[in-house]
Amino acid sequence: KQEVTQIPAALSVPEGENLVLNCSFTDSAIYNLQWFRQDPGKGLTSLLLIQSSQREQTSGRLNASLDKSSGRSTLYIAASQPGDSATYLCAADYNNNDMRFGAGTRLTVKP
Amino acid sequence: DTGVSQDPRHKITKRGQNVTFRCDPISEHNRLYWYRQTLGQGPEFLTYFQNEAQLEKSRLLSDRFSAERPKGSFSTLEIQRTEQGDSAMYLCASSHGTYNEQFFGPGTRLTVL
């Protein structure tokens, strides 16, 4: 069964701290892995997509890594800001059309 | 704005009524997805179109649910005889190209009383 797990479910950090969000998936035969941000009551905003052949992707203060052999991806956020407060979701895409989501990590960055 | 749009944003209905949601994908995106999301969970896949063809449906999509994408552009999701368990956020996403990066709309929040 293809499952995606995100730990921790919630995280609270002071402003300026660097942090890592974790995502694990049970089947390493993924097509790609995508990280999203979701604000309360809103849709999902795509942050980064890592192709199965890649090890990492970077966008601004965000860096996502992918280790297919261990079934893990991490999202690193540098110098966190209160505006980063949101739920972060990872999704593993199997077969190029079967995307499985984790339940998300709810991040709070305190001023 | 050329993002994915969904209408309505909120829908309150009584149990047993039919509801229909609309999704307009990013223009030229040939793939369109419907997901359902309940509180505290990630989105769950419902169905997927490539152009006008519905290629995959989840077991979550009971007989009361039907989706169309008649001209390969916008899509509709209809729920017949709504039940309280149908209350959720219904999300639409579109993508194109080799790597299937999905872009989501703002969602339609359905409340069934």
Side-chain angles (χ1 to χ4, degrees):
Chain A
K1 184 178 179 182
Q2 295 159 338
E3 292 184 346
V4 178
T5 304
Q6 291 187 248
I7 296 173
L11 180 64
S12 181
V13 300
E15 181 177 5
E17 193 162 296
N18 302 325
L19 59 100
V20 174
L21 306 180
N22 297 295
C23 172
S24 61
F25 44 94
T26 54
D27 185 344
S28 63
I30 63 171
Y31 191 76
N32 63 44
L33 189 131
Q34 198 167 352
W35 282 92
F36 296 88
R37 168 187 173 136
Q38 187 173 32
D39 293 290
K42 308 292 186 182
L44 279 66
T45 300
S46 177
L47 298 174
L48 291 165
L49 179 143
I50 312 176
Q51 302 165 26
S52 61
S53 59
Q54 297 177 325
R55 294 296 297 257
E56 65 179 326
Q57 282 286 335
T58 298
S59 176
R61 294 183 294 107
L62 305 180
N63 175 277
S65 68
L66 175 64
D67 184 342
K68 286 178 57 179
S69 61
S70 66
R72 292 183 180 179
S73 177
T74 61
L75 180 66
Y76 174 83
I77 302 177
S80 58
Q81 303 170 358
D84 294 331
S85 298
T87 296
Y88 290 81
L89 295 150
C90 71
D93 189 351
Y94 297 93
N95 299 323
N96 200 19
N97 61 28
D98 182 5
M99 185 172 278
R100 306 294 176 95
F101 283 81
T105 294
R106 188 173 68 253
L107 174 66
T108 303
V109 181
K110 298 178 181 178
Chain B
D1 182 41
T2 57
V4 179
S5 61
Q6 293 186 245
D7 183 70
R9 297 290 305 278
H10 303 274
K11 178 70 176 178
I12 300 174
T13 191
K14 294 182 179 179
R15 189 175 54 186
Q17 297 295 305
N18 299 342
V19 295
T20 300
F21 310 142
R22 176 178 171 128
C23 170
D24 287 88
I26 295 171
S27 59
E28 299 174 359
H29 277 195
N30 60 344
R31 298 183 183 189
L32 187 147
Y33 301 80
W34 285 99
Y35 294 87
R36 181 171 68 187
Q37 185 178 28
T38 53
L39 197 63
Q41 300 299 314
E44 295 176 295
F45 169 80
L46 292 178
T47 190
Y48 148 64
F49 291 85
Q50 180 148 332
N51 299 312
E52 67 275 12
Q54 188 174 17
L55 296 186
E56 192 167 339
K57 293 193 292 185
S58 164
R59 286 174 295 176
L60 293 174
L61 213 65
S62 76
D63 291 345
R64 296 184 297 106
F65 288 69
S66 63
E68 295 183 342
R69 193 182 184 198
K71 297 183 179 180
S73 57
F74 73 92
S75 175
T76 58
L77 177 68
E78 181 183 16
I79 308 174
Q80 297 181 331
R81 305 181 303 281
T82 52
E83 302 173 354
Q84 288 184 326
D86 296 332
S87 295
M89 175 80 88
Y90 290 83
L91 294 162
C92 174
S94 69
S95 73
H96 78 296
T98 305
Y99 301 110
N100 196 32
E101 182 174 7
Q102 295 190 21
F103 296 88
F104 281 75
T108 295
R109 179 164 296 285
L110 173 66
T111 302
V112 181
L113 302 176

